[in-house]
Amino acid sequence: MPEVAVSSPASRGLSDRLSDLLWSRQGLLILLLILPPALWLGIIYLGALFALLAQSFFSIDPFSGLINYEFTLRTYGELFRAANLDIIVRTVLMAGCVTIAAMIVGFPVAYYAARYARGKWKALFYLGVMLPLWSSYLVKVYSWKLILAKEGILSWLFETLHLSWLLDAYLLLPVVGGNSLSVSWTGTFLVFLYVWLPFMILPTQAALERVPPSMLEASGDLGARPGQTFRHVLLPLALPGIVAGSIFTFSLTLGDYIIPQIVGTSARMIGQAVYQFQGTAGNIPLAAAFAVVPILIMGVYLYIAKRMGAFNAL
Amino acid sequence: MHSDRASLGLKIAAAAGLLFMHLPILLIFVYAFTTEDKSYQWPPPGYTLKWFSVTWERPDVWEALSLSLRVAAISTVVALVLGTLCAAAVSRTRFFGREAISLLVILPIALPGIITGISLRSAFNLADIPFSFWTIVLGHATFCVVVVYNNAVARFRRTSGSLVEASMDLGANMFQTFRHVILPNIATALLAGGMLAFALSFDEVIVTTFTAGQQQTLPIWMLEELVRPRQRPVTNVVAMVVVLVTFLPILGAYYLTRGTEMVAGQGK
């Protein structure tokens, strides 16, 4: 290595000695390596999480609107008012629906990519999932505003196929319908499904790739019909990957406040409640208490996922 | 299930899934050229290039773009340094608290973004820190670390430890070993991680709304336009440009880590 030889002797002496010290004391080296990231994450991230937790135990003075910095559980009590419970139940239901739909839509893509795609097609499938995953979140939401708008492409498609009556009948349905798709729960659901789908496909595909094809063949040789092989062999083996994907779809839906704000009804979800309480309402304690709800739900969810072996599939 | 050929049903379902993921983005490209400026009418009544020049002359778009690029650049640098250090420590040895550290790195993206956002907001509020360029960077760098970390850790695992020992045996000190042995081995992984971190920061909106105050990054500008539209065609053009700009680092990261391990995407 000629470049090494030219470096100046003085600086080499110092760096050599420092190097010897670190090499002989591996613990010190590890400490030096880990200290900057641990400090950054520990102070900024964990510190902020504790600040959030602390705020949720404060309350807001109903007359002055100022934060009362005294320990109280009153703010958490407010979560159990009917209006706030509604928000929580609605959000969890939506997260559940989106997760189940993502499993159904994502599975064939993951299965085809894992088992049948080879060479060029494999790369195509990989990029075909990666590009939507990484492309701009807001642009993706925006594109659905274009699609679902009253004068947009979906209405046009129904009209061209002479099926407008079907769309109109669907919009008249309670709960899922509305004035147009862009202000209905169906719209919110479709956008959530679209935006989080790649997060389901990637871990599912990874789990399916680890299933040896010989097992499927053995199952068939032993007389199982394709449906039985799917239910008793393929699905149990892929389950950790699917559960891992569901962690993302569930958690991301739980905390999102932008999608229901842009496409959806006026009824709020947890994210919107947090955003409004900390912003316009200036009620940071209640916003903080609301933010603790998804943390708790995800805590339970992660515990169950861990029991099902999802972490080995990540 | 015996044959190595997929059934027709599976093929159709897989193709439909892929189309579902791609058609909406392609639609944006058509809308950027529409002559209609009041509604989202489909099919567009006509096509024009006018909105590109209109967008070019909008100072607010340029300011937002510039802020986004600066934030992404600095966050990426911070994330590269912290992510690499962390990956080096975690992949080389087992030490007390190792599991805790890897959990800590992943936590900012495992929890919903709004929690990171509201946490930082409460912390700034409690500590009386005013919003600035640096409050945005603090948030972004925190969740970008994991992307660099994931890429670097995978590469460190594949890089044999005996290479480092051989280098030291041949008389190189630690810094020389890092410069001439370790760095060339992990460079492409770092570049890929850095590109993805840049794309992640450039696009982030949920955490940013809590840490930006009155400042506008490009995603916040877009969010404003979505909630209160002023000139829809300009939004269409910006959306198209954002898609093109984020595709480049993703493709770049893919080619850099291709054939090694499929780790590039596990971060987000």
Side-chain angles (χ1 to χ4, degrees), chain A residues 28-217:
Chain A
L28 186 64
L29 174 66
I30 295 293
L31 189 70
L32 282 180
L33 286 175
I34 208 70
L35 208 57
L39 282 180
W40 179 286
L41 291 168
I43 293 175
I44 294 172
Y45 191 66
L46 284 187
L49 276 182
F50 279 119
L52 173 77
L53 210 58
Q55 292 268 18
S56 70
F57 289 108
F58 299 149
S59 65
I60 198 138
D61 190 300
F63 300 109
S64 63
L66 292 173
I67 297 171
N68 184 5
Y69 293 99
E70 267 171 44
F71 177 84
T72 171
L73 286 173
R74 212 172 61 219
T75 312
Y76 277 103
E78 277 190 55
L79 287 183
F80 292 97
R81 288 220 314 257
N84 292 338
L85 265 185
D86 267 0
I87 295 178
I88 296 172
V89 170
R90 187 182 300 136
T91 310
V92 172
L93 276 179
M94 175 60 87
C97 291
V98 169
T99 300
I100 291 169
M103 287 175 186
I104 296 170
V105 179
F107 192 86
V109 181
Y111 188 57
Y112 190 89
R115 189 149 148 71
Y116 297 106
R118 293 277 169 275
K120 230 181 207 159
W121 282 99
K122 188 114 187 164
L124 189 84
F125 261 87
Y126 181 68
L127 280 177
V129 179
M130 293 301 290
L131 284 179
L133 172 70
W134 282 94
S135 57
S136 169
Y137 163 83
L138 273 177
V139 171
K140 285 187 278 192
V141 178
Y142 181 53
S143 72
W144 278 88
K145 203 176 160 88
L146 301 177
I147 293 171
L148 298 172
K150 234 187 174 108
E151 69 279 9
I153 190 168
L154 211 60
S155 306
W156 172 83
L157 198 68
F158 275 102
E159 209 168 295
T160 320
L161 297 171
H162 301 290
L163 288 173
S164 291
W165 56 271
L166 190 67
L167 184 64
D168 291 339
Y170 183 81
L171 286 175
L172 282 178
L173 292 177
V175 186
V176 291
N179 268 334
S180 87
L181 280 175
S182 62
V183 291
S184 70
W185 284 112
T186 312
T188 319
F189 165 80
L190 279 173
V191 182
F192 271 129
L193 174 63
Y194 174 74
V195 173
W196 308 138
L197 184 60
F199 291 89
M200 176 62 83
I201 295 180
L202 285 178
T204 307
Q205 184 185 341
L208 284 170
E209 264 164 10
R210 282 196 285 263
V211 177
S214 56
M215 279 208 185
L216 304 181
E217 283 160 20

Side-chain angles (χ1 to χ4, degrees), chain B residues 72-262:
Chain B
I74 300 201
S75 309
T76 305
V77 171
V78 175
L80 272 175
V81 173
L82 297 178
T84 314
L85 286 174
C86 201
V90 166
S91 63
R92 277 268 164 262
T93 43
R94 317 204 147 264
F95 57 89
F96 179 72
R98 180 170 173 270
E99 296 293 315
I101 289 284
S102 37
L103 179 71
L104 187 58
V105 174
I106 294 168
L107 213 54
I109 55 153
L111 289 178
I114 196 164
I115 293 182
T116 311
I118 183 89
S119 301
L120 288 168
R121 174 84 166 69
S122 328
F124 295 150
N125 178 280
L126 282 182
D128 266 330
I129 300 171
F131 295 118
S132 70
F133 175 79
W134 294 104
T135 53
I136 308 181
V137 170
L138 276 182
H140 281 207
T142 304
F143 59 72
C144 283
V145 171
V146 65
V147 191
V148 177
Y149 169 83
N150 270 358
N151 276 277
V153 117
R155 186 62 63 87
F156 269 122
R157 282 202 190 116
R158 299 188 330 113
T159 309
S160 159
S162 55
L163 272 180
V164 174
E165 281 160 21
S167 162
M168 308 285 274
D169 287 347
L170 290 167
N173 70 31
M174 224 162 225
F175 305 99
Q176 291 164 336
T177 305
F178 177 75
R179 167 74 186 77
H180 296 285
V181 179
I182 298 177
L183 201 56
N185 263 305
I186 63 168
T188 52
L190 291 189
L191 195 56
M195 282 172 156
L196 293 176
F198 191 92
L200 189 57
S201 162
F202 186 74
D203 181 43
E204 215 293 327
V205 63
I206 291 192
V207 176
T208 319
T209 47
F210 289 93
T211 58
Q214 298 300 315
Q215 309 163 84
Q216 278 200 329
T217 61
L218 200 57
I220 291 194
W221 180 90
M222 270 205 72
L223 183 62
E224 286 282 311
E225 292 292 311
L226 291 191
V227 179
R228 279 179 285 290
R230 278 178 296 174
Q231 212 172 6
R232 283 171 174 169
V234 174
T235 317
N236 295 340
V237 171
V238 172
M240 188 185 105
V241 172
V242 167
V243 169
L244 290 176
V245 168
T246 39
F247 269 23
L248 292 178
I250 301 155
L251 286 174
Y254 169 69
Y255 282 107
L256 286 171
T257 52
R258 188 175 46 157
T260 52
E261 262 174 279
M262 298 287 193

